[in-house]
Structure formats: structure tokens, C-alpha cells
Amino acid sequence: DTGVSQDPRHKITKRGQNVTFRCDPISEHNRLYWYRQTLGQGPEFLTYFQNEAQLEKSRLLSDRFSAERPKGSFSTLEIQRTEQGDSAMYLCASSRDSNYGYTFGSGTRLTVV
Amino acid sequence: KNEVEQSPQNLTAQEGEFITINCSYSVGISALHWLQQHPGGGIVSLFMLSSGKKKHGRLIATINIQEKHSSLHITASHPRDSAVYICAVSAPDKLIFGTGTRLQVFP
């Protein structure tokens, strides 16, 4: 297993456009998490899945954000009508469950111009 | 006040020095994690602790559950240790992160 993969690594988009990011977790990991990190800050929780069920969403996740994990495998995070404030590193992590450690992807860096 | 506080925010050291990074938290946790982040974003898990002390190579992590405090120590620091070190707590179904400590080790 090659770990947690995120695609793309970098995305530059114009304000108002929609973007979609993908995360492929470690195959035997049931849990998948999305975090957002802005410059100089620690990551902030966005949402997490247990298999295909989205169990929790942060208040940070406005109506413009949606995440899915069909079939409990890969996940996508879509941002509609991007704003400059959405510019950040979007990190994905997976784990077996809360009693185990986390494996992080390399992140997708989004720049909204 | 953040639920997870780290100190110091920035740290510079000469190669070979002993380094300590501190983490305090204010929420109930099931575990505490120390993570390393290099420029470019990738995060690597160093330790997951629920009690006591763990050691891996030159890295040592300790936790005091009663005092809600953890420390990460690096012995015989090396320039390749330069990175951001992040403390995060499992509370319990997601991680809450500190803002990180930026460490630079000079030869």
C-alpha cells in the first residue's frame, strides 16, 4: 500500500469556479478525515467518514462545501463558487478507528485568484 | 483560548542541542499525537500516546494525563530535524491540532 494519496497536489482557480479534490485512503482504513490548514496555523477539522457514512461536519464546512465517500473507499471534497478565503492546504487522513494512529496525505494546496 | 496550546512557537538550536517542545490541552482526550510537518505540507505521525513515555530513536514523548501536558524531546538535534512539530489530541473521534512549533537546527 502506498499510503494516503491526494490529487491534485496543487490547484489554482479563479474566484467563483468549482473545484474538486480526491483522496484515496489506505485500503483497510475505515475512517477518512478532511482537514484544512492555512498558513502558520494548525489543521482544522472539516469532516470525517466511517466507511461511506459522513458522521460529523464542522461549522467551517459551509453550504459551498460538500464531501462524499461512495462505497467507503476514496473520497471527494468539492468547493463550489470558490472565494479567496478558501485558499489553503486541504489535508486528508485515514485511520482504522479512533484507537489507532492516523496516516496523512501530502495535501492539495488550493489558491483562489 | 485554543484547546491545544504549544510552546514555543518558534525554536532555533545549534546542532547537538537537546530540544523540548511543550503541549497543553484543555479537553478530554483519548490519545495525544505528535506530528512532524515539512515544507510542502506532508504530515508524518511520530507518536501516539495515552499515558507515560515513548521513545523512537532520538525522539522521546511524554504525557501527564492529570496535568493535561505533553512534551516532545529531541536529543542530539540535527539540521534534518528542522520542521514544524504539531501536537494534536484525539477528542475523541477527530484530531484537534495545536498551531505547531517551527524548529530550525543550524549546523
PDB file of all heavy atoms in Angstrom, chain A residues 34-38 41-47 58 60 89 91, chain B residues 95-97:
ATOM      1  N   TRP A  34     -11.082  14.922   6.524  1.00  0.00           N
ATOM      2  CA  TRP A  34     -10.629  16.087   5.778  1.00  0.00           C
ATOM      3  C   TRP A  34     -10.330  17.210   6.762  1.00  0.00           C
ATOM      4  O   TRP A  34     -11.122  17.482   7.673  1.00  0.00           O
ATOM      5  CB  TRP A  34     -11.692  16.561   4.788  1.00  0.00           C
ATOM      6  CG  TRP A  34     -11.841  15.709   3.572  1.00  0.00           C
ATOM      7  CD1 TRP A  34     -12.794  14.761   3.334  1.00  0.00           C
ATOM      8  CD2 TRP A  34     -11.031  15.761   2.386  1.00  0.00           C
ATOM      9  NE1 TRP A  34     -12.624  14.206   2.092  1.00  0.00           N
ATOM     10  CE2 TRP A  34     -11.544  14.809   1.487  1.00  0.00           C
ATOM     11  CE3 TRP A  34      -9.921  16.517   1.993  1.00  0.00           C
ATOM     12  CZ2 TRP A  34     -10.993  14.583   0.218  1.00  0.00           C
ATOM     13  CZ3 TRP A  34      -9.371  16.296   0.752  1.00  0.00           C
ATOM     14  CH2 TRP A  34      -9.907  15.342  -0.119  1.00  0.00           C
ATOM     15  N   TYR A  35      -9.166  17.844   6.553  1.00  0.00           N
ATOM     16  CA  TYR A  35      -8.755  18.985   7.358  1.00  0.00           C
ATOM     17  C   TYR A  35      -8.340  20.116   6.424  1.00  0.00           C
ATOM     18  O   TYR A  35      -7.930  19.881   5.284  1.00  0.00           O
ATOM     19  CB  TYR A  35      -7.562  18.639   8.261  1.00  0.00           C
ATOM     20  CG  TYR A  35      -7.885  17.668   9.349  1.00  0.00           C
ATOM     21  CD1 TYR A  35      -7.773  16.292   9.151  1.00  0.00           C
ATOM     22  CD2 TYR A  35      -8.300  18.116  10.603  1.00  0.00           C
ATOM     23  CE1 TYR A  35      -8.076  15.396  10.163  1.00  0.00           C
ATOM     24  CE2 TYR A  35      -8.597  17.221  11.624  1.00  0.00           C
ATOM     25  CZ  TYR A  35      -8.486  15.860  11.392  1.00  0.00           C
ATOM     26  OH  TYR A  35      -8.786  14.975  12.393  1.00  0.00           O
ATOM     27  N   ARG A  36      -8.408  21.340   6.924  1.00  0.00           N
ATOM     28  CA  ARG A  36      -7.948  22.496   6.161  1.00  0.00           C
ATOM     29  C   ARG A  36      -6.885  23.221   6.993  1.00  0.00           C
ATOM     30  O   ARG A  36      -7.057  23.398   8.211  1.00  0.00           O
ATOM     31  CB  ARG A  36      -9.105  23.451   5.880  1.00  0.00           C
ATOM     32  CG  ARG A  36      -8.712  24.670   5.074  1.00  0.00           C
ATOM     33  CD  ARG A  36      -9.921  25.475   4.669  1.00  0.00           C
ATOM     34  NE  ARG A  36     -10.553  26.126   5.796  1.00  0.00           N
ATOM     35  CZ  ARG A  36     -11.692  26.810   5.704  1.00  0.00           C
ATOM     36  NH1 ARG A  36     -12.322  26.893   4.544  1.00  0.00           N
ATOM     37  NH2 ARG A  36     -12.196  27.395   6.766  1.00  0.00           N
ATOM     38  N   GLN A  37      -5.810  23.614   6.337  1.00  0.00           N
ATOM     39  CA  GLN A  37      -4.716  24.291   7.028  1.00  0.00           C
ATOM     40  C   GLN A  37      -4.357  25.570   6.287  1.00  0.00           C
ATOM     41  O   GLN A  37      -4.021  25.538   5.104  1.00  0.00           O
ATOM     42  CB  GLN A  37      -3.486  23.381   7.118  1.00  0.00           C
ATOM     43  CG  GLN A  37      -2.356  23.968   7.944  1.00  0.00           C
ATOM     44  CD  GLN A  37      -1.176  23.030   8.067  1.00  0.00           C
ATOM     45  OE1 GLN A  37      -0.967  22.174   7.215  1.00  0.00           O
ATOM     46  NE2 GLN A  37      -0.405  23.168   9.143  1.00  0.00           N
ATOM     47  N   THR A  38      -4.427  26.694   6.992  1.00  0.00           N
ATOM     48  CA  THR A  38      -3.965  27.963   6.430  1.00  0.00           C
ATOM     49  C   THR A  38      -2.577  28.262   6.962  1.00  0.00           C
ATOM     50  O   THR A  38      -2.133  27.680   7.961  1.00  0.00           O
ATOM     51  CB  THR A  38      -4.940  29.095   6.772  1.00  0.00           C
ATOM     52  OG1 THR A  38      -5.162  29.110   8.187  1.00  0.00           O
ATOM     53  CG2 THR A  38      -6.273  28.897   6.073  1.00  0.00           C
ATOM     54  N   GLN A  41      -0.902  28.120  10.654  1.00  0.00           N
ATOM     55  CA  GLN A  41      -1.870  27.562  11.602  1.00  0.00           C
ATOM     56  C   GLN A  41      -1.832  26.043  11.574  1.00  0.00           C
ATOM     57  O   GLN A  41      -1.366  25.435  10.610  1.00  0.00           O
ATOM     58  CB  GLN A  41      -3.289  28.028  11.248  1.00  0.00           C
ATOM     59  CG  GLN A  41      -3.469  29.531  11.281  1.00  0.00           C
ATOM     60  CD  GLN A  41      -3.241  30.105  12.656  1.00  0.00           C
ATOM     61  OE1 GLN A  41      -3.747  29.578  13.655  1.00  0.00           O
ATOM     62  NE2 GLN A  41      -2.463  31.171  12.737  1.00  0.00           N
ATOM     63  N   GLY A  42      -2.351  25.445  12.639  1.00  0.00           N
ATOM     64  CA  GLY A  42      -2.527  24.005  12.617  1.00  0.00           C
ATOM     65  C   GLY A  42      -3.755  23.640  11.794  1.00  0.00           C
ATOM     66  O   GLY A  42      -4.634  24.470  11.557  1.00  0.00           O
ATOM     67  N   PRO A  43      -3.836  22.402  11.335  1.00  0.00           N
ATOM     68  CA  PRO A  43      -5.010  21.978  10.566  1.00  0.00           C
ATOM     69  C   PRO A  43      -6.294  22.094  11.378  1.00  0.00           C
ATOM     70  O   PRO A  43      -6.288  21.921  12.593  1.00  0.00           O
ATOM     71  CB  PRO A  43      -4.692  20.511  10.245  1.00  0.00           C
ATOM     72  CG  PRO A  43      -3.201  20.406  10.322  1.00  0.00           C
ATOM     73  CD  PRO A  43      -2.803  21.351  11.404  1.00  0.00           C
ATOM     74  N   GLU A  44      -7.388  22.381  10.682  1.00  0.00           N
ATOM     75  CA  GLU A  44      -8.709  22.469  11.300  1.00  0.00           C
ATOM     76  C   GLU A  44      -9.594  21.384  10.712  1.00  0.00           C
ATOM     77  O   GLU A  44      -9.606  21.174   9.493  1.00  0.00           O
ATOM     78  CB  GLU A  44      -9.349  23.828  11.025  1.00  0.00           C
ATOM     79  CG  GLU A  44      -8.607  25.006  11.625  1.00  0.00           C
ATOM     80  CD  GLU A  44      -9.212  26.317  11.159  1.00  0.00           C
ATOM     81  OE1 GLU A  44      -9.158  26.582   9.943  1.00  0.00           O
ATOM     82  OE2 GLU A  44      -9.748  27.052  12.001  1.00  0.00           O
ATOM     83  N   PHE A  45     -10.358  20.747  11.573  1.00  0.00           N
ATOM     84  CA  PHE A  45     -11.239  19.663  11.164  1.00  0.00           C
ATOM     85  C   PHE A  45     -12.358  20.178  10.260  1.00  0.00           C
ATOM     86  O   PHE A  45     -12.988  21.204  10.541  1.00  0.00           O
ATOM     87  CB  PHE A  45     -11.835  19.017  12.417  1.00  0.00           C
ATOM     88  CG  PHE A  45     -12.930  18.022  12.135  1.00  0.00           C
ATOM     89  CD1 PHE A  45     -12.629  16.751  11.678  1.00  0.00           C
ATOM     90  CD2 PHE A  45     -14.258  18.361  12.346  1.00  0.00           C
ATOM     91  CE1 PHE A  45     -13.633  15.830  11.425  1.00  0.00           C
ATOM     92  CE2 PHE A  45     -15.269  17.452  12.110  1.00  0.00           C
ATOM     93  CZ  PHE A  45     -14.955  16.181  11.645  1.00  0.00           C
ATOM     94  N   LEU A  46     -12.612  19.443   9.180  1.00  0.00           N
ATOM     95  CA  LEU A  46     -13.735  19.762   8.301  1.00  0.00           C
ATOM     96  C   LEU A  46     -14.838  18.711   8.409  1.00  0.00           C
ATOM     97  O   LEU A  46     -15.992  19.028   8.664  1.00  0.00           O
ATOM     98  CB  LEU A  46     -13.275  19.850   6.841  1.00  0.00           C
ATOM     99  CG  LEU A  46     -12.361  21.019   6.490  1.00  0.00           C
ATOM    100  CD1 LEU A  46     -11.957  20.942   5.019  1.00  0.00           C
ATOM    101  CD2 LEU A  46     -13.015  22.353   6.798  1.00  0.00           C
ATOM    102  N   THR A  47     -14.478  17.439   8.195  1.00  0.00           N
ATOM    103  CA  THR A  47     -15.473  16.383   8.207  1.00  0.00           C
ATOM    104  C   THR A  47     -14.786  15.034   8.287  1.00  0.00           C
ATOM    105  O   THR A  47     -13.589  14.922   8.025  1.00  0.00           O
ATOM    106  CB  THR A  47     -16.372  16.447   6.957  1.00  0.00           C
ATOM    107  OG1 THR A  47     -17.459  15.525   7.091  1.00  0.00           O
ATOM    108  CG2 THR A  47     -15.585  16.114   5.685  1.00  0.00           C
ATOM    109  N   SER A  58     -17.869  19.963  10.394  1.00  0.00           N
ATOM    110  CA  SER A  58     -17.553  21.173  11.135  1.00  0.00           C
ATOM    111  C   SER A  58     -18.436  22.327  10.669  1.00  0.00           C
ATOM    112  O   SER A  58     -18.905  22.351   9.522  1.00  0.00           O
ATOM    113  CB  SER A  58     -16.087  21.522  10.925  1.00  0.00           C
ATOM    114  OG  SER A  58     -15.809  22.839  11.306  1.00  0.00           O
ATOM    115  N   LEU A  60     -17.187  24.936   9.966  1.00  0.00           N
ATOM    116  CA  LEU A  60     -16.368  25.542   8.912  1.00  0.00           C
ATOM    117  C   LEU A  60     -16.850  25.127   7.531  1.00  0.00           C
ATOM    118  O   LEU A  60     -16.589  25.799   6.529  1.00  0.00           O
ATOM    119  CB  LEU A  60     -14.898  25.120   9.065  1.00  0.00           C
ATOM    120  CG  LEU A  60     -14.150  25.627  10.285  1.00  0.00           C
ATOM    121  CD1 LEU A  60     -12.764  24.987  10.333  1.00  0.00           C
ATOM    122  CD2 LEU A  60     -14.029  27.140  10.248  1.00  0.00           C
ATOM    123  N   MET A  89      -4.335  24.720   2.407  1.00  0.00           N
ATOM    124  CA  MET A  89      -3.936  23.337   2.141  1.00  0.00           C
ATOM    125  C   MET A  89      -5.063  22.445   2.654  1.00  0.00           C
ATOM    126  O   MET A  89      -5.489  22.581   3.801  1.00  0.00           O
ATOM    127  CB  MET A  89      -2.641  23.006   2.873  1.00  0.00           C
ATOM    128  CG  MET A  89      -2.224  21.556   2.768  1.00  0.00           C
ATOM    129  SD  MET A  89      -1.548  21.157   1.155  1.00  0.00           S
ATOM    130  CE  MET A  89       0.143  21.718   1.400  1.00  0.00           C
ATOM    131  N   LEU A  91      -6.034  18.786   3.633  1.00  0.00           N
ATOM    132  CA  LEU A  91      -5.370  17.547   4.012  1.00  0.00           C
ATOM    133  C   LEU A  91      -6.382  16.433   4.230  1.00  0.00           C
ATOM    134  O   LEU A  91      -7.441  16.645   4.809  1.00  0.00           O
ATOM    135  CB  LEU A  91      -4.588  17.746   5.317  1.00  0.00           C
ATOM    136  CG  LEU A  91      -3.372  18.662   5.238  1.00  0.00           C
ATOM    137  CD1 LEU A  91      -2.968  19.127   6.628  1.00  0.00           C
ATOM    138  CD2 LEU A  91      -2.211  17.959   4.572  1.00  0.00           C
TER     139      LEU A  91
ATOM    140  N   LEU B  95      -9.164  14.787  15.368  1.00  0.00           N
ATOM    141  CA  LEU B  95      -7.991  15.426  15.939  1.00  0.00           C
ATOM    142  C   LEU B  95      -8.217  16.922  16.081  1.00  0.00           C
ATOM    143  O   LEU B  95      -8.769  17.568  15.188  1.00  0.00           O
ATOM    144  CB  LEU B  95      -6.763  15.193  15.054  1.00  0.00           C
ATOM    145  CG  LEU B  95      -6.222  13.766  14.967  1.00  0.00           C
ATOM    146  CD1 LEU B  95      -5.022  13.717  14.028  1.00  0.00           C
ATOM    147  CD2 LEU B  95      -5.838  13.247  16.334  1.00  0.00           C
ATOM    148  N   ILE B  96      -7.789  17.460  17.224  1.00  0.00           N
ATOM    149  CA  ILE B  96      -7.725  18.896  17.416  1.00  0.00           C
ATOM    150  C   ILE B  96      -6.247  19.250  17.493  1.00  0.00           C
ATOM    151  O   ILE B  96      -5.515  18.677  18.310  1.00  0.00           O
ATOM    152  CB  ILE B  96      -8.446  19.342  18.695  1.00  0.00           C
ATOM    153  CG1 ILE B  96      -9.910  18.914  18.663  1.00  0.00           C
ATOM    154  CG2 ILE B  96      -8.351  20.856  18.862  1.00  0.00           C
ATOM    155  CD1 ILE B  96     -10.656  19.168  19.960  1.00  0.00           C
ATOM    156  N   PHE B  97      -5.821  20.171  16.642  1.00  0.00           N
ATOM    157  CA  PHE B  97      -4.400  20.453  16.481  1.00  0.00           C
ATOM    158  C   PHE B  97      -3.980  21.713  17.221  1.00  0.00           C
ATOM    159  O   PHE B  97      -4.750  22.682  17.328  1.00  0.00           O
ATOM    160  CB  PHE B  97      -4.077  20.680  14.998  1.00  0.00           C
ATOM    161  CG  PHE B  97      -4.191  19.453  14.138  1.00  0.00           C
ATOM    162  CD1 PHE B  97      -5.420  19.018  13.691  1.00  0.00           C
ATOM    163  CD2 PHE B  97      -3.057  18.745  13.768  1.00  0.00           C
ATOM    164  CE1 PHE B  97      -5.532  17.884  12.882  1.00  0.00           C
ATOM    165  CE2 PHE B  97      -3.153  17.625  12.964  1.00  0.00           C
ATOM    166  CZ  PHE B  97      -4.390  17.193  12.519  1.00  0.00           C
TER     167      PHE B  97
END
